[in-house]
Each structure stands twice: as structure tokens, then as C-alpha cells.
Amino acid sequence: MKKSYRVKKDREFQQVFHKGKSTANRQFVIYKLNKEAQAHFRVGISVSKKLGNAVTRNRLKRRIRHILMELDDQITQNADFIVIARSPIVQMSYQEMKSSMMHVLKLATLLPKN
């Protein structure tokens, strides 16, 4: 995922947390902030230390990034959003993660409801 597609700075994370709307399911929480002047979506990913060691957390972040890259053309382009992983995600397969991610993105109106 290109750097221009990521929310990296603490100030940007805080802006999405405070001004955005949250949506959740059992595996993910998504905070979304619409930005009309933006050409494409930007995403920040947060995985707590409670979910495992650095190897586990980085694997989870790579999987989440890959799922978002696969859904790139379907995701609403004018928004910043933060994905927060919850504990059940550690035992899930890639396909289960993708299904759950699609579900929460639809709830957050970042994916069209087909």
C-alpha cells in the first residue's frame, strides 16, 4: 500500500477519532471521517500489544493491508478511516478476516451494500 494511502501522524489519527463516526463488529472497529477534497481514501491500522508479540501484530497488519488493497477499487475514495483490530482476529483465517472486514466496511458505508 502506497504511503499516500496511509494515515501516519498522531494528529491525523486524533482528528479521525474525535471528529469521525465509529462502527464495529466483533473483530474490528472502524472510525471514519469524510474528506470531500481528497482524491483517494487513507487508512490507519491499529493492533494492540494485547493481541500478541510484534511478529503476530505485524502479520495481522499485513493481512489487513492486503485485504484493503484487494478492495481498493470498491472502497469510498473521499474518506480517512482507522481500523482497530480486536482479539478474536488472532485465531481467524485470512478468508474469515476478509469476510469480517467487508461486513464492517459495509456497516461504515465505506463499501457499497450489494
Side-chain angles (χ1 to χ4, degrees):
M1 185 174 282
K2 296 178 185 176
K3 282 189 180 183
S4 64
Y5 281 78
R6 294 189 191 175
V7 175
K8 294 290 275 182
K9 297 180 180 165
D10 183 56
R11 179 174 33 92
E12 295 169 340
F13 265 86
Q14 294 307 318
Q15 185 180 24
V16 175
F17 283 131
H18 294 300
K19 294 183 180 176
K21 302 264 189 238
S22 69
T23 308
N25 64 9
R26 287 198 172 106
Q27 293 80 23
F28 297 103
V29 178
I30 291 189
Y31 284 86
K32 174 186 138 184
L33 179 64
N34 289 325
K35 292 202 168 178
E36 297 303 322
Q38 199 162 270
H40 54 77
F41 72 87
R42 295 186 321 151
V43 63
I45 299 171
S46 175
V47 179
S48 171
K49 285 186 177 181
K50 293 177 184 176
L51 299 186
N53 62 14
V55 175
T56 303
R57 293 192 314 269
N58 287 328
R59 184 178 67 243
L60 293 171
K61 286 188 275 189
R62 281 193 308 271
R63 284 182 170 184
I64 292 168
R65 258 187 243 113
H66 192 268
I67 290 167
L68 293 171
M69 283 191 309
E70 286 181 354
L71 300 172
D72 179 18
D73 57 336
Q74 300 171 40
I75 295 175
T76 304
Q77 296 300 310
N78 57 350
D80 282 358
F81 61 98
I82 308 295
V83 177
I84 301 172
R86 289 181 164 175
S87 60
I89 195 175
V90 177
Q91 288 87 21
M92 294 173 75
S93 70
Y94 179 79
Q95 288 303 322
E96 291 170 328
M97 278 179 68
K98 185 173 181 179
S99 171
S100 178
M101 177 66 74
M102 289 177 70
H103 174 255
V104 77
L105 288 171
K106 286 177 185 175
L107 290 176
T109 66
L110 285 163
L111 274 183
K113 294 181 182 181
N114 295 347

